[in-house]
Amino acid sequence: MKNPFQLLILFLLFFFTSATSQTTEASSEPCPNPKKLRGLCMFVDSKEKDPKPQGRFVWKYQRKLLEAACIDVRKDSEEEIGKKIAKVWQENEKSMICNNTKFDVANGNIIKFAVNLKFDEFVIDVAHWKINLNKVDEMDGRTVLDYVQSQIERNKGLPAEPTLKQYYEMLKKAGAKHKSEL
């Protein structure tokens, strides 16, 4: 039988070897990491706050995007953050769709979903980050701007109309176009 000192040495060797291999595995994740985008629609739908916010980033959907784009909020400037998120978004745009009973577009663009939910922060973020706002969804054949316009018409005279008009103006200023303008 080995003495206690030898057992302790073996335990420490095992512990440090295990910890080192876990660190190596974690750092070997791809960057950007599209797997981190899983569940994004769920976090937009729930409007869930992040239990560990980072600066101005207080929403779970923001954390998902920051992690997917490998952003370090302490080091990356706002401009770098926007570029990295826009890049990971563009590379994964086809999978950035939502299906939900609260949403009237099957396989619809997640931005349209956020508009439908009146999730101001999400709409502001995508406009600020210069995300591609001109994707035409296969299912409805419309861009985000087309969708917002149809929502304005649907909500004429209702409390949601002013919010939707603000979205329209903000998205238009951020480069959103109607399908007919593409």
Side-chain angles (χ1 to χ4, degrees):
M1 180 171 178
K2 297 182 183 194
N3 70 35
F5 182 73
Q6 287 176 317
L7 287 174
L8 178 63
I9 297 294
L10 284 173
F11 172 76
L12 290 173
L13 281 172
F14 173 77
F15 176 77
F16 286 118
T17 305
S18 175
T20 304
S21 70
Q22 287 175 359
T23 304
T24 305
E25 287 171 22
S27 64
S28 68
E29 285 188 4
C31 197
N33 187 349
K35 288 181 182 177
K36 299 284 184 173
L37 296 172
R38 290 184 186 145
L40 192 58
C41 287
M42 176 184 69
F43 291 116
V44 169
D45 182 31
S46 70
K47 298 181 184 180
E48 185 178 341
K49 293 238 178 171
D50 190 339
K52 296 179 184 175
Q54 300 176 42
R56 76 170 191 84
F57 302 105
V58 298
W59 300 97
K60 280 288 249 194
Y61 79 83
Q62 291 170 325
R63 174 175 292 277
K64 300 289 276 180
L65 287 165
L66 294 171
E67 288 176 351
C70 306
I71 291 170
D72 183 340
V73 296
R74 294 176 307 253
K75 294 179 182 175
D76 294 334
S77 69
E78 278 292 321
E79 186 178 338
E80 288 174 297
I81 290 170
K83 284 180 181 178
K84 287 181 177 182
I85 289 177
K87 182 178 186 286
V88 78
W89 191 289
Q90 182 182 11
E91 291 170 354
N92 297 282
E93 193 171 53
K94 289 184 179 180
S95 64
M96 304 287 273
I97 57 170
C98 299
N99 286 296
N100 191 296
T101 56
K102 299 176 191 172
F103 189 33
D104 58 347
V105 180
N107 295 322
N109 183 317
I110 192 169
I111 304 169
K112 290 179 186 177
F113 185 48
V115 165
N116 186 61
L117 296 171
K118 316 294 181 287
F119 194 176
D120 299 345
E121 291 84 351
F122 188 89
V123 178
I124 291 166
D125 275 344
V126 296
H128 176 73
W129 290 326
K130 298 178 175 50
I131 301 292
N132 176 20
L133 301 170
N134 297 312
K135 179 180 181 282
V136 177
D137 281 341
E138 291 178 25
M139 295 303 283
D140 70 353
R142 299 182 293 184
T143 65
V144 171
L145 206 58
D146 294 325
Y147 181 79
V148 175
Q149 184 177 39
S150 73
Q151 291 296 307
I152 291 169
E153 291 166 9
R154 255 177 146 176
N155 288 277
K156 204 70 140 169
L158 298 174
E161 184 183 11
T163 301
L164 292 164
K165 284 182 174 179
Q166 286 177 336
Y167 290 170
Y168 185 92
E169 291 305 317
M170 179 182 7
L171 293 167
K172 187 96 168 139
K173 283 180 186 172
K177 296 180 180 178
H178 292 282
K179 182 181 175 183
S180 62
E181 298 173 299
L182 299 177

